[in-house]
Amino acid sequence: MKAKLLIAGAALAFFSSCNMGNPLLKESSAPFGAPQFDKISDEHYLPAFEAAIAEGKAEIDAIVANQEEPTFENTIEAMEYAGQTLNTVAGIFYNLMEANTNDQMQAVAEQVSPMLTEYSMYVSLNEKLFERVKAVYEKRNELGLDQDQMTLLEDNYKGFVRGGANLSEEDKALYSKWSEELSLATLQFSKNVLAATNAYTLHVTDSADLAGLPEYVKTMGAETAKEKNLEGWAFTLAYPSFSPFMKYSENRELRRQMWTAYNSKAIGGEFDNTEIVRQIVDLRIKIANILGYETYADYALEERMAKNRTTVNEFVKQLLEPSMEFALKDVADVYAFAKKNGFEGSQLMPWDFSYWSERYQEAEYSLNEEQLKPYFQLESCIDAVFGLANRLYGITFHELDNVPVYHEDVKVYEVKDNDGSHLALFYADFFPRASKRGGAWMTEFRGQSIRNGVEYRPFISTVMNFTKPTADAPSLITHSEFTTFLHEFGHALHGILAQGRYPSLTGTSVSRDFVELPSQIMENWAYEPEYLNSFAKHYQTGEAIPAELIEKIVAAKNYLAGYGQVRQLHFGYLDMAWHSLKELPAEGTLEFEQKTLAPYAVMPAVEGTGFSTSFSHIFSGGYSAGYYSYKWAEVLEADAFSLFKEKGIFNQEVATSFRKNILEKGGAEDEAVIYRNFRGHDPQPEALMTKLGLTK
Ligand SMILES: [Zn+2]
């Protein structure tokens, strides 16, 4: 590290001298070279970022200044390893920002953010660097590259090209003009959604109009009213207010008002998004065209497992069409239940569905999580999750007490392979605290890689928010928390078992529509009696979980699965319709949406409503031409798990194949190919239909 720092010259020498003792920049002396959390303090971060960015730039400069002809090694491989110190520092910092943050770190994050943007532009807009990459790319077929090297080269080249590097000066100017307009339009879109959401209040003054609402919803309504200086109760379009109101309110007219307001957000009026949607779509078509793609979907999908819009459009239809009859039956069932229980309308309207499906579920499919909890004691769940990895892959977990941690609640395990060799460090951070955000996630402090013949095994972490045990009560988790645990642990296995070479291509560094396969497949075991019976025992009596409780868990999972699936596919279908356009449609935004979705309607259409104008995932978030990936991942895992169902949920042959073909591979090969290598065929939508019970 010191040798590298010297290249950067005077400015860097200053940093390196005051960074002499910075544990973020020094080789770790902890076991396995693990991060030295015991030595890192908040004041180390900023100087570490400054030094690491300077080092990364110096490494890029050295590649550009190289007098030798560009080769894979002196350009592509050198770029892969440029900025590795920055990756390490950022990896530690941003993980702790989520899991153990404080005011000082927040302040550092604000200072560092523009520095990182500047660094990434230093690389991505570097024309001389691109010239070298292009020179290597143009002779790629004569270089005798391995598969992962070819992927690395192509990823690098495409990264530049997709950012406009190959365009003429004139087109570059257009590209950046449109990109800027697009970012302003998407920003305006989300501002309007927020403003339109906040502009509406349902004001209730008669307590009779609160009929059906649970106490907590009433209290929330009273508090909201107070905040708005209103008498009585107030409900808003923010999800935590809107959703329970629609589920519980017995007042049909108020439900209609709420639903209509929610579904006409940013349509007309002061915060209108109808024209902005068209503007965004138009700019995306222009950008895709100038970069050489027919549609924006082609541009967006090129880097995904699905690859093109034909595949995705067919995929969505293959699920949507057979799901329609089940969705319509779900609606008919809820209607029949509602009729029996006093509903007088001639058909269910969209503002009735949430209310009546909730009553139906309570009556027929109620799953009491409290009843289940005594069977899911955290300690036995941890053993069961590790035990599942052991039964499938032969790996073992050994708790260590000599590896530094960033909080006393964190436990570290050494993961060993079935032959006893070292695989990874696994950090488990299970309990909530003020410095940790909510939710559950997997992350890594170091990914697996091999450099100069030396292999670096990964440091993987999962962060959860389970209830902490006390002196006289153990931690009991819900079945859905247990399922989440399995999900994150699946991501962790993807990191732990990685067997690749280049850091940007190992472990979970795969396409977005593939990354949830290793995690979602693990959730399946949470519904398998054979697995549950092996550990789910009452923590006081030791009694095994009753079979009827397991049956209830499965039934609750598939409740209204047809309706749910069609709802979800509406979003994916509409997203693809907007982004498969070659020019703007003649109709306005609402008309285009209605025309697109009409063949797949399961509820009566309501004039003047729609969701394009508030569809933030695709018009201001990162999911444009990507909403399908939620369902895509479900199909992948259902199809993959069906092989376990067929051969046995602990079958060694299937498990070994899943490990070798999927979990070890990272992103070095085309995901469609590695999937076929495991499953023997392309992902089949029927597998998901079967899993959800949507079969005749
Ligand atoms: Zn996930």
Side-chain angles (χ1 to χ4, degrees):
M1 186 166 303
K2 263 194 189 135
K4 269 189 225 156
L5 284 170
L6 285 176
I7 308 169
L12 215 64
F14 166 73
F15 288 127
S16 65
S17 67
C18 70
N19 273 322
M20 286 264 281
N22 194 323
L24 287 158
L25 298 171
K26 271 172 53 174
E27 199 140 329
S28 166
S29 55
F32 305 98
Q36 305 184 88
F37 294 116
D38 52 341
K39 300 204 172 103
I40 299 169
S41 51
D42 295 337
E43 62 272 15
H44 290 129
Y45 289 116
L46 190 59
F49 270 112
E50 284 167 339
I53 287 173
E55 182 186 311
K57 283 186 176 176
E59 286 161 345
I60 295 293
D61 291 347
I63 298 169
V64 173
N66 194 332
Q67 295 299 311
E68 287 165 36
E69 199 191 318
T71 64
F72 178 82
E73 287 73 21
N74 74 20
T75 303
I76 307 301
E77 208 166 64
M79 280 171 69
E80 175 74 354
Y81 294 118
Q84 282 299 311
T85 306
L86 180 57
N87 288 345
T88 306
V89 174
I92 292 172
F93 179 76
Y94 286 104
N95 279 320
L96 298 199
M97 273 288 286
E98 308 265 287
N100 204 29
T101 191
N102 60 44
D103 291 347
Q104 211 176 331
M105 289 179 75
Q106 311 270 0
V108 172
E110 268 175 46
Q111 267 176 289
V112 165
S113 160
M115 292 161 57
L116 291 178
T117 310
E118 202 258 339
Y119 175 73
S120 95
M121 281 164 58
Y122 190 82
V123 181
S124 65
L125 300 179
N126 194 318
E127 291 185 14
K128 293 217 170 90
L129 188 61
F130 176 61
E131 271 170 36
R132 292 186 68 93
V133 171
K134 193 174 176 179
V136 182
Y137 182 78
E138 279 169 354
K139 55 185 178 193
R140 65 192 176 284
N141 294 324
E142 297 133 46
L143 300 175
L145 297 179
D146 294 336
Q147 168 80 60
D148 59 343
Q149 297 179 316
M150 189 59 99
T151 305
L152 190 65
L153 171 56
E154 285 172 351
D155 284 358
N156 267 295
Y157 176 74
K158 275 193 204 145
F160 279 100
V161 171
R162 291 168 63 82
N166 240 349
L167 300 176
S168 68
E169 286 312 310
E170 213 174 299
D171 284 352
K172 263 186 195 159
L174 274 178
Y175 172 82
S176 46
K177 175 177 170 278
W178 291 334
S179 301
E180 207 177 305
E181 284 172 18
L182 179 62
S183 82
L184 289 175
T186 54
L187 193 66
Q188 190 59 46
F189 180 94
S190 61
K191 276 187 186 167
N192 283 349
V193 172
L194 187 66
T197 305
N198 292 336
Y200 180 84
T201 305
L202 178 77
H203 185 202
V204 174
T205 46
D206 183 350
S207 65
D209 288 334
L210 302 175
L213 298 180
E215 245 359 271
Y216 84 93
V217 183
K218 290 185 198 170
T219 310
M220 200 162 61
E223 278 166 13
T224 309
K226 214 175 278 167
E227 279 163 28
K228 292 177 180 280
N229 285 322
L230 295 170
E231 293 293 312
W233 301 266
F235 300 92
T236 70
L237 301 183
Y239 206 72
S241 179
F242 172 76
S243 169
F245 190 91
M246 296 307 294
K247 269 186 197 166
Y248 298 109
S249 171
E250 288 173 11
N251 187 321
R252 193 177 186 215
E253 170 54 23
L254 293 185
R255 288 202 313 263
R256 188 193 65 77
Q257 289 177 24
M258 272 295 253
W259 186 91
T260 309
Y262 193 87
N263 288 278
S264 52
K265 265 184 290 181
I267 297 175
E270 197 183 342
F271 310 113
D272 186 22
N273 268 341
T274 50
E275 272 313 303
I276 292 176
V277 164
R278 289 173 63 82
Q279 204 186 332
I280 291 172
V281 170
D282 186 45
L283 286 164
R284 284 180 177 161
I285 295 171
K286 284 182 175 147
I287 288 172
N289 288 165
I290 207 170
L291 292 171
Y293 302 88
E294 209 175 1
T295 70
Y296 184 80
D298 292 313
Y299 166 73
L301 292 167
E302 180 189 52
E303 302 210 297
R304 311 257 167 82
M305 178 185 175
K307 289 190 198 59
N308 57 59
R309 81 187 122 99
T310 316
T311 310
V312 175
N313 283 322
E314 271 171 23
F315 166 79
V316 174
K317 278 199 171 178
Q318 270 179 26
L319 277 177
L320 197 43
E321 274 162 12
S323 301
M324 280 304 291
E325 61 176 301
F326 297 98
L328 292 167
K329 186 177 176 301
D330 284 345
V331 174
D333 286 350
V334 173
Y335 178 63
F337 174 85
K339 272 291 221 204
K340 236 193 295 175
N341 291 277
F343 179 70
E344 286 167 357
S346 60
Q347 59 179 347
L348 285 178
M349 292 302 287
W351 45 86
D352 298 318
F353 194 78
S354 186
Y355 175 80
W356 284 109
S357 64
E358 191 72 17
R359 302 289 80 70
Y360 187 34
Q361 182 172 26
E362 280 168 4
E364 307 282 333
Y365 297 93
S366 74
L367 185 67
N368 184 344
E369 283 279 16
E370 293 307 312
Q371 210 183 334
L372 280 169
K373 268 180 155 182
Y375 298 96
F376 292 92
Q377 187 180 350
L378 182 58
E379 286 70 26
S380 47
C381 290
I382 296 171
D383 290 345
V385 169
F386 289 170
L388 177 57
N390 180 259
R391 280 183 84 168
L392 294 173
Y393 308 119
I395 63 176
T396 51
F397 291 73
H398 309 266
E399 193 173 340
L400 300 174
D401 56 13
N402 59 347
V403 173
V405 291
Y406 55 87
H407 188 277
E408 56 181 10
D409 281 353
V410 179
K411 286 186 176 179
V412 185
Y413 300 84
E414 183 188 3
V415 190
K416 290 185 181 176
D417 210 342
N418 47 18
D419 63 0
S421 58
H422 174 79
L423 271 178
L425 289 183
F426 177 69
Y427 294 72
D429 180 0
F430 285 141
F431 307 113
R433 55 179 170 265
S435 62
K436 190 198 273 193
R437 75 166 167 89
W441 61 95
M442 166 270 180
T443 183
E444 58 185 35
F445 295 110
R446 177 172 89 185
Q448 180 265 340
S449 67
I450 300 173
R451 187 179 183 186
N452 297 330
V454 181
E455 180 170 21
Y456 299 88
R457 291 304 310 173
F459 307 142
I460 304 296
S461 168
T462 58
V463 187
M464 313 288 295
N465 277 288
F466 295 137
T467 313
K468 209 172 171 170
T470 60
D472 38 34
S475 174
L476 301 176
I477 63 176
T478 64
H479 179 263
S480 95
E481 285 175 316
F482 179 65
T483 310
T484 305
F485 184 9
L486 280 171
H487 178 106
E488 300 309 332
F489 188 73
H491 284 307
L493 287 174
H494 203 184
I496 288 168
L497 296 171
Q499 295 290 350
R501 172 163 38 174
Y502 299 113
S504 70
L505 296 176
T506 62
T508 55
S509 303
V510 296
S511 302
R512 187 192 292 164
D513 55 1
F514 189 75
V515 74
E516 296 298 327
L517 166 61
S519 51
Q520 284 186 200
I521 194 171
M522 293 297 285
E523 295 183 23
N524 288 285
W525 275 272
Y527 298 90
E528 290 295 329
E530 189 186 351
Y531 177 51
L532 290 173
N533 285 328
S534 72
F535 73 93
K537 301 197 165 52
H538 197 286
Y539 80 102
Q540 283 164 326
T541 65
E543 166 220 6
I545 186 168
E548 60 270 23
L549 268 185
I550 299 181
E551 278 164 31
K552 270 191 168 180
I553 297 174
V554 176
K557 174 173 72 87
N558 286 347
Y559 174 68
L560 298 187
Y563 176 83
Q565 170 136 299
V566 168
R567 279 284 299 162
Q568 190 73 2
L569 288 165
H570 276 176
F571 294 111
Y573 191 68
L574 184 65
D575 169 28
M576 285 305 292
W578 279 119
H579 292 113
S580 299
L581 290 171
K582 292 175 193 159
E583 55 185 36
L584 276 181
E587 312 89 336
T589 299
L590 283 193
E591 292 74 23
F592 179 78
E593 175 179 327
Q594 264 160 25
K595 189 186 79 175
T596 303
L597 294 177
Y600 303 109
V602 289
M603 287 264 153
V606 179
E607 193 68 31
T609 66
F611 60 85
S612 292
T613 54
S614 57
F615 199 175
S616 301
H617 268 82
I618 69 162
F619 291 121
S620 62
Y623 275 82
S624 39
Y627 204 90
Y628 77 92
S629 29
Y630 292 108
K631 276 289 157 193
W632 184 269
E634 282 181 46
V635 166
L636 281 184
E637 62 88 0
D639 189 47
F641 189 69
S642 68
L643 193 58
F644 280 102
K645 285 291 267 187
E646 189 188 315
K647 308 254 164 138
I649 62 166
F650 300 113
N651 183 285
Q652 285 304 292
E653 212 179 304
V654 182
T656 305
S657 164
F658 192 71
R659 172 176 177 172
K660 296 283 168 213
N661 287 305
I662 306 286
L663 296 175
E664 291 185 355
K665 289 286 175 165
E669 279 179 57
D670 180 353
E671 286 91 357
V673 173
I674 63 172
Y675 185 79
R676 269 197 295 276
N677 291 344
F678 165 68
R679 194 60 185 90
H681 58 231
D682 286 330
Q684 291 180 347
E686 298 77 29
L688 179 59
M689 300 294 287
T690 308
K691 178 184 167 175
L692 296 174
L694 304 179
T695 47
K696 280 178 269 183

